[in-house]
Each structure stands twice: as structure tokens, then as C-alpha cells.
Amino acid sequence: MKGAYTNPCFFLAMTVMLAMAAALVQAQGTRVGFYARTCPRAESIVRSTVQSRFRSNPNIAPGLLRMHFHDCFVQGCDASILIDGPNTEKTAPPNRLLRGYEVIDDAKTQLEAACPGVVSCADILALAARDSVFLTRGINWAVPTGRRDGRVSLASDTTILPGFRESIDSQKQKFAAFGLNTQDLVALVGGHTIGTSACQLFSYRLYNFTNGGPDPTINPAFVPQLQALCPQNGDGSRRIDLDTGSGNRFDTSFFANLRNGRGILESDQKLWTDPSTRTFVQRFLGERGSRPLNFNVEFARSMVKMSNIGVKTGTNGEIRRICSAIN
């Protein structure tokens, strides 16, 4: 971790991110350093909490990153995904397997002791997602804060979330509805460089997909490995890395796997088979003949854009004292 702070490229990326963040959120009501006076230790408390939990269970990093994404796409980035109760977002199928709720609760408890009623659950989640990327050797970026928490959480609203069988055209439409372009889509899906998937979400690709065989977009040499991990009629809850060979490190290996026909989710592999998204995969990989893009920097840029979807400020939301319950 220390090396990231002493790397000149890191400081250049941070300069770009700070300038970009300021421009993006000027009209949103959020800003970098929102709690500088009201709760100066807010970000350090969240980071230390995530670090502590990460040391005992590294799986919370991808869980928190996915949780932030799923929160922002439903009702905006307002922590509605954290609310307990029947038929809330947390109970919906796309969210049932998410991990890390206890990390947010832990951070909130500490923040309420230090600065009662000041820091929103929505901001805690945005900061925790950033810290999760950094802890898995990805970039650190400035997170605009000042969100307030939402009061509505409905499982039925989660249908807006992109699915694991979704076409690229459908994914692009869903992202575009929130002001996110095709590059943002590829960058944000690149977050699958960390974390796992349950066999039940992709094993259909391995058996009787077409003409009795596996999905032809899977590298034939990779099929036996996947079938051994997820046998037909086996344990659908078994989890395997989304980025084979590098599931705990935030890097571009995920894109290399897509290029080599080793994507796990059907929707992920389509980033390579669809020409409109393949271009960005190639650029993130720095392939010869393409205009290279720095994945870490562009991921951070897209995260700032996403984290300002539907932000509630002022009287449009509340500051929950307990993240899982509406005040």
C-alpha cells in the first residue's frame, strides 16, 4: 500500500480525480471534504473499519463495491439497499448474496459515537467502496460526500439492475439512463476483477447451452476446469472467482480473461464478443493499435459519476442513526 502513495503516477491520477470530482458534483450538492469541519475523522473511521474487517475477511471488499453499485442504480445513491424489512431491496434476488452489511453497521456505530447524526449511511457506503478497491491494490480517489439517506426501499425496484444474461444493448440502455456511457459500463463491470460468483449464475453455460454443448464463447480448454468446479446438478451456491487467477487483486486481468474466452458470467464475456464494448476492453489492456486507457484512473472517474446518481441532499433525505432502519 505504501508504494501507491509514493508513485508519481498515483499523484497525477489523484490530481486528475480531484479536478474531475469538483467539476462533476458542483451542481449535485456533494463535494470532496464535506465533513472536514463537522466530522473531521469521518473518512479515516470508515477506512480503518474496512481495513480491520478486510484483514479478517477479504471477501468483504468486492461485496462492498457491488453493494454501492446496486444501491446507486436503485433509487439513487441513498443507502436504501441497507434498510431491513420485508420486500426491501436487501431481500431482492440480486442482493441476497451481497456481503459486507456488517461493515457499514460497524462504521456507523463508530461515527455516531464520534459525530452523532452527522455522517450519512450513503456516504459511508461510497467511502467503503473506494477503500475496498484500494485495499485490493487498486486506485485511491477523492470521494465527494454530502449525500443524505433515502426513506424508500422496494425489492420490486431492483429489476433495473443489469442481469447476468443481459445483452450489451440492454446494459448500455440501463447505464445511459443514468448518464453513464459505454466506457463507463466497461470500466464499472471491470470491478469484477475482484470477487466471486455462485455456480448457479453461470453453470447453465457449461451444459446443454447450444446443441447439447457448452457456450461456444467459452474457451474450450477452460470448460473442463469450470465443469469440475461446478458439476451438473452440483452445489449451486459454491463460489468461484470472477477473474480466474487474480480474484483478490484489482487489475486488468479480468479483461485479459475476457479476451481469452475465460469470462465467468455471460454478460461479462459479451463485453468481448460485442464490438462496441470490445474496443474499450482492448484499450484497457493497452493492446497494440488501440489508444490505451488507464483502467484504474478511468474506473475511479466512472465511480465518481455513478456515485452521484440520484443523490439526495438537504431536505430530500435524512441522516439515519442506524443504517438498517428508517428514522
Side-chain angles (χ1 to χ4, degrees):
M1 297 301 178
K2 183 179 179 181
Y5 288 113
T6 57
N7 187 327
C9 293
F10 171 80
F11 288 107
L12 175 61
M14 283 303 298
T15 301
V16 171
M17 288 306 302
L18 282 167
M20 178 273 301
L24 267 177
V25 305
Q26 186 175 8
Q28 296 278 358
T30 59
R31 66 178 186 273
V32 174
F34 182 85
Y35 298 110
R37 292 185 178 181
T38 56
C39 192
R41 295 181 55 235
E43 295 201 24
S44 63
I45 288 174
V46 173
R47 173 158 290 188
S48 64
T49 303
V50 177
Q51 286 176 329
S52 176
R53 293 282 187 159
F54 178 80
R55 281 194 292 268
S56 60
N57 180 14
N59 291 323
I60 61 102
L64 291 168
L65 180 58
R66 309 277 192 276
M67 193 183 298
H68 183 43
F69 177 91
H70 286 207
D71 181 48
C72 290
F73 264 56
V74 182
Q75 297 286 345
C77 306
D78 65 352
S80 53
I81 195 172
L82 304 176
I83 298 172
D84 284 336
N87 302 314
T88 59
E89 292 172 38
K90 188 184 286 190
T91 69
N95 298 331
R96 287 177 191 161
L97 299 177
L98 289 178
R99 305 174 183 183
Y101 291 107
E102 69 284 357
V103 182
I104 305 301
D105 291 339
D106 187 1
K108 181 60 171 174
T109 298
Q110 295 181 54
L111 285 164
E112 283 299 304
C115 317
V118 173
V119 182
S120 69
C121 300
D123 279 341
I124 295 172
L125 184 51
L127 292 166
R130 183 271 311 274
D131 296 339
S132 295
V133 171
F134 185 63
L135 285 167
T136 49
R137 305 184 190 182
I139 194 172
N140 187 34
W141 68 91
V143 175
T145 46
R147 301 165 189 78
R148 292 177 72 84
D149 300 323
R151 302 182 179 95
V152 177
S153 182
L154 299 171
S156 57
D157 289 339
T158 62
T159 55
I160 190 71
L161 290 168
F164 55 88
R165 298 190 186 205
E166 200 130 358
S167 70
I168 293 299
D169 282 345
S170 179
Q171 291 184 60
K172 287 196 293 188
Q173 288 173 9
K174 289 184 174 181
F175 275 70
F178 296 113
L180 301 171
N181 59 31
T182 302
Q183 180 178 312
D184 294 319
L185 186 161
V186 179
L188 291 169
V189 174
H192 286 173
T193 181
I194 56 174
T196 61
S197 170
C199 288
Q200 63 191 4
L201 300 184
F202 69 88
S203 58
Y204 67 90
R205 301 180 66 207
L206 309 178
Y207 310 96
N208 302 316
F209 187 84
T210 45
N211 301 319
D215 183 343
T217 65
I218 304 175
N219 186 325
F222 190 41
V223 172
Q225 181 179 337
L226 292 179
Q227 290 177 331
L229 292 167
C230 299
Q232 195 167 18
N233 302 318
D235 181 5
S237 65
R238 183 177 183 180
R239 304 191 71 85
I240 73 164
D241 288 342
L242 284 166
D243 183 5
T244 303
S246 184
N248 295 316
R249 181 167 183 150
F250 200 92
D251 56 21
T252 58
S253 172
F254 170 76
F255 296 120
N257 275 324
L258 298 186
R259 179 181 58 193
N260 296 329
R262 296 166 68 90
I264 301 301
L265 300 180
E266 183 180 357
S267 55
D268 287 353
Q269 189 59 52
K270 285 174 178 176
L271 294 180
W272 181 258
T273 57
D274 189 291
S276 68
T277 47
R278 183 193 306 138
T279 298
F280 292 105
V281 174
Q282 292 170 321
R283 294 179 70 184
F284 286 138
L285 287 170
E287 286 193 352
R288 184 175 299 176
S290 67
R291 289 181 294 133
L293 287 169
N294 184 303
F295 171 53
N296 266 277
V297 170
E298 298 305 327
F299 179 83
R301 191 190 307 273
S302 296
M303 282 291 286
V304 171
K305 288 177 67 175
M306 184 195 75
S307 71
N308 278 287
I309 293 173
V311 164
K312 295 171 178 63
T313 57
T315 59
N316 292 326
E318 64 183 11
I319 303 296
R320 282 185 232 138
R321 298 299 182 104
I322 299 174
C323 290
S324 58
I326 300 172
N327 290 344

